[in-house]
Amino acid sequence: MPSIDTLIVVGVMLLKVLIIGGALFCAPLPLTWIERKLAGRIQQRLGPHRVGPFGLLQPLADMIKMFVKEDIVPAKADSFLFKLAPILAMAPIFAIFVVVPFGPDITIPFIDYKVSLYITDMNVGIIFVLAISGLAVYGLIFGGWASNSKYAMLGGMRSTAQMISYEVAMSFAAVGVVMMSGSLSLVDIVTSQSGGFLNWNILYLPVGPLWFVIFLIAGLAEMNRIPFDMPEDEGSLAAGYHVEYSAMRFAFLSLAEYVAMVSIAVLLVVFFLGGWDNPLGSLIPILDYVPPVFWFMGKVGAFIYFFMWLRFTIPRYRYDQLMTIGWKIMIPLSLANILATGMIKIYADYRITDVLEMVGLKLW
Amino acid sequence: MVDIIKTVITRVLFLDFIKGLLVTLKYTLSRSITLKYPDHETWIPYERFRGEHKLHRNEDGRELCVACELCVAACPTDCITVVPMEDETGRRGINDRVAKVWEVNLVRCLYCGYCEDACPTTAVRLSRGFELACTDLDGTIREREALLTESPIPEHYEGGVVVKAKYIRKLIQIKPELWKQKDWWPAKPGRSKKR
């Protein structure tokens, strides 16, 4: 019989898993609504507005539709892999959130119990994230392969090639983050950037902004969104790897895509924008009372908005352009940037606030 | 050389992307041109619009139509049928003539407005009603009684605006204070409001 303390720890852990998992499962509902509304606004339309106030119940209606539709498995498809693929696409992306810190430790009032706002603080957090997110491509390639359709096959192949190309640049960007912050744990990465936006990794001049851009572009490619949505290029591949999917399996694949978008936004915030850190530090005293989770969510929301905005602004790249950007620009650039980061780390490891203090300027 | 530097700066700072993003941002903040027709909003056409026919009365409530059948003669598609009769006032002459039957086939009509022009008493005028959809062909023929009802849109209202649909739907006369002043075409410099 384990002691009562162990049981409480396990219970709290399970509760956190349930909350995060439930939130991620429900996240695509509002996200699809926001995306469609935003698409409408950008194209001077209204977006969904018939179901419920402002069309807010539209995603629910879509969900009901997805539930009651016939679940078709093509006759000549590899039915085991076909059914496995949506799960394989979804599970790794959910697993990323095991190491993501959403805020600092909070103490529950009255019972004085300390709860950390992450599931685990893994000391190799970044490596875990990269390893797990790389597995998500199996869902796409299995889905494309098992459908036994040439469009799905091409989509799956494209997604594999794209993921392999951009995984390298993304890993290098993660190495850059590790060098800038000096830790592999995501919690330590966030705490190393605390104290206002001048301390954030994105402003670790001169290499920070470059790492940010590399990670952003590689992330866009990793989550298969415009401008890098080659695997589901409507113009040339119908719907790419999920062309044969219907009903709930299709819903799972699109859920995986939305959660991937959230996960890239979360990683960008944790790696470069100081996670839950208050942007103005303690410059404005009243902002200290804003809960840190709010800052985290705000930054993630801003990134998600940016991704959607980007989707309805720019066209997709051609396939050879995609490969050129990946291999000929991003990877050499990130290699050179690793060198530069190393040099700076050895000879001039200063953040902007340090420089400001040296010239006698103390903001906070 | 200057061009090369300019290109490099544009590429490095993603200036083209930012320009494109600003364009879509401008559209995000602009007004939607979609109407919530027919549930919530509806479009009132300009005054010149030629829609469904209406027969009019004078101030005393007497029909203006004297059943002279000039509209029938003017009609290029023969869609108007007029059968005259004498009413019960007992007078003789043009004043007591009214139409026994005045019907127009809205499917055949090409809305040219010749009947309007031919009418000596301005009894028949084309209104701005354009919602003529119906489920069978009987609905396409308008009888005299239906044509004598008043149009919900005041005749001399200049139009060209979007109003809440309930004002039209419930046949409430649109009062000037209810006009939701909203131009269909956003006003642009160099283009006058009445086109």
Side-chain angles (χ1 to χ4, degrees):
Chain A
M1 179 70 197
S3 67
I4 198 82
D5 285 348
T6 319
L7 281 178
I8 287 176
V9 168
V10 170
V12 168
M13 185 83 85
L14 278 177
L15 196 67
K16 282 192 279 198
V17 170
L18 278 179
I19 289 173
I20 291 174
L24 287 177
F25 254 106
C26 295
L29 295 181
L31 285 181
T32 49
W33 180 81
I34 293 168
E35 180 152 30
R36 291 172 66 179
K37 271 289 188 197
L38 186 67
R41 295 304 316 175
I42 285 175
Q43 294 156 5
Q44 292 197 305
R45 294 185 285 112
L46 288 168
H49 67 274
R50 304 294 300 218
V51 191
F54 308 108
L56 270 170
L57 300 179
Q58 184 70 46
L60 284 179
D62 289 344
M63 202 175 70
I64 292 169
K65 185 191 76 176
M66 289 287 192
F67 268 119
V68 299
K69 270 196 159 184
E70 189 188 351
D71 181 19
I72 299 167
V73 179
K76 293 202 173 164
D78 184 334
S79 109
F80 175 70
L81 280 185
F82 189 83
K83 288 172 183 164
L84 189 68
I87 313 293
L88 274 183
M90 205 168 61
I93 297 167
F94 276 71
I96 289 175
F97 286 84
V98 169
V99 289
V100 170
F102 295 93
D105 296 358
I106 51 168
T107 314
I108 296 174
F110 307 120
I111 54 170
D112 227 25
Y113 184 78
K114 243 186 168 183
V115 180
S116 53
L117 290 185
Y118 45 81
I119 296 177
T120 57
D121 176 14
M122 218 178 271
N123 55 5
V124 288
I126 280 194
I127 295 174
F128 176 79
V129 165
L130 291 174
I132 288 292
S133 69
L135 286 178
V137 72
Y138 276 110
L140 274 55
I141 182 71
F142 281 178
W145 174 263
S147 298
N148 199 7
S149 147
K150 47 184 171 295
Y151 298 118
M153 177 76 190
L154 275 172
M157 286 299 168
R158 279 188 183 185
S159 79
T160 322
Q162 180 177 328
M163 288 258 185
I164 288 170
S165 316
Y166 282 86
E167 192 79 47
V168 183
M170 199 177 178
S171 313
F172 277 138
V175 170
V177 172
V178 171
M179 289 167 97
M180 287 189 287
S181 285
S183 172
L184 286 168
S185 149
L186 266 63
V187 180
D188 289 350
I189 287 173
V190 172
T191 46
S192 77
Q193 306 175 53
S194 61
F197 70 95
L198 290 177
N199 276 340
W200 293 353
N201 276 343
I202 187 177
L203 285 178
Y204 188 86
L205 295 173
V207 290
L210 194 54
W211 281 134
F212 174 74
V213 168
I214 290 173
F215 195 90
L216 179 65
I217 293 174
L220 276 171
E222 284 284 299
M223 66 189 177
N224 296 326
R225 272 184 86 81
I226 278 181
F228 301 111
D229 67 337
M230 280 296 134
E232 43 190 300
D233 178 356
E234 296 93 351
S236 56
L237 289 185
Y241 62 93
H242 56 57
V243 68
E244 300 290 350
Y245 280 88
S246 58
M248 279 321 279
R249 297 190 206 287
F250 174 76
F252 280 145
L253 281 174
S254 61
L255 181 132
E257 267 174 40
Y258 275 104
V259 178
M261 184 169 80
V262 176
S263 75
I264 295 292
V266 161
L267 290 181
L268 276 164
V269 167
V270 168
F271 287 171
F272 295 99
L273 295 187
W276 63 77
D277 185 38
N278 180 348
L280 292 172
S282 42
L283 203 61
I284 302 170
I286 196 146
L287 289 184
D288 287 342
Y289 296 101
V290 178
V293 180
F294 170 81
W295 294 116
F296 185 85
M297 291 299 170
K299 290 169 190 173
V300 171
F303 266 114
I304 289 172
Y305 182 89
F306 174 72
F307 291 150
M308 292 176 175
W309 182 12
L310 208 61
R311 172 169 173 186
F312 296 105
T313 301
I314 50 184
R316 74 171 63 79
Y317 279 107
R318 220 169 48 220
Y319 193 67
D320 59 319
Q321 289 172 334
L322 179 102
M323 285 296 153
T324 310
I325 294 170
W327 290 101
K328 290 189 184 165
I329 298 174
M330 303 278 283
I331 292 174
L333 200 64
S334 45
L335 275 172
N337 211 13
I338 281 186
L339 192 66
T341 315
M343 303 283 264
I344 286 166
K345 203 73 193 171
I346 293 169
Y347 296 112
D349 185 14
Y350 301 119
R351 288 182 185 263
I352 294 180
T353 39
D354 300 331
V355 179
L356 287 179
E357 264 178 47
M358 264 189 270
V359 298
L361 202 71
K362 197 162 165 57
L363 280 176
W364 47 74
Chain B
M1 190 61 199
V2 178
D3 282 355
I4 295 171
I5 293 171
K6 216 180 248 177
T7 317
V8 167
I9 289 174
T10 313
R11 292 266 170 86
V12 168
L13 296 180
F14 295 96
L15 292 183
D16 294 340
F17 283 79
I18 291 167
K19 206 186 269 176
L21 287 171
L22 286 179
V23 169
T24 41
L25 184 68
K26 204 178 75 194
Y27 276 103
T28 314
L29 301 175
S30 73
R31 202 182 56 209
S32 156
I33 60 168
T34 309
L35 288 190
K36 291 181 183 173
Y37 177 85
D39 294 16
H40 300 291
E41 292 170 328
T42 191
W43 156 246
I44 294 185
Y46 291 99
E47 209 175 343
R48 59 169 184 263
F49 187 87
R50 296 196 299 258
E52 187 193 8
H53 307 66
K54 287 286 175 199
L55 288 174
H56 290 260
R57 296 171 186 270
N58 66 5
E59 301 83 49
D60 307 333
R62 193 187 143 78
E63 286 174 46
L64 283 171
C65 180
V66 293
C68 62
E69 298 178 59
L70 281 176
C71 44
V72 180
C75 185
T77 56
D78 290 340
C79 65
I80 303 175
T81 313
V82 178
V83 177
M85 70 168 192
E86 292 181 347
D87 70 0
E88 68 287 350
T89 51
R91 288 176 295 182
R92 286 290 171 269
I94 194 80
N95 279 337
D96 61 348
R97 269 168 63 102
V98 289
K100 186 180 173 189
V101 176
W102 204 110
E103 60 178 39
V104 53
N105 188 336
L106 293 177
V107 181
R108 291 192 63 159
C109 178
L110 50 83
Y111 302 96
C112 60
Y114 281 9
C115 48
E116 200 177 0
D117 290 347
C119 189
T121 58
T122 65
V124 56
R125 292 174 225 159
L126 298 188
S127 76
R128 279 179 265 182
F130 58 86
E131 293 173 327
L132 304 173
C134 55
T135 47
D136 63 62
L137 277 177
D138 291 349
T140 63
I141 294 170
R142 286 283 187 281
E143 302 283 348
R144 175 170 147 265
E145 285 73 27
L147 293 174
L148 276 166
T149 56
E150 216 165 340
S151 164
I153 304 165
E155 217 176 8
H156 296 293
Y157 173 48
E158 83 179 278
V161 295
V162 175
V163 295
K164 288 188 176 167
K166 62 181 176 191
Y167 300 141
I168 304 287
R169 203 68 52 194
K170 291 179 184 166
L171 298 180
I172 305 168
Q173 281 282 325
I174 303 175
K175 297 186 183 67
E177 62 267 24
L178 299 179
W179 293 344
K180 188 176 150 198
Q181 289 292 342
K182 185 174 168 189
D183 282 334
W184 176 242
W185 299 104
K188 275 181 188 164
R191 187 160 72 186
S192 65
K193 199 175 157 193
K194 280 189 195 170
R195 293 192 311 148

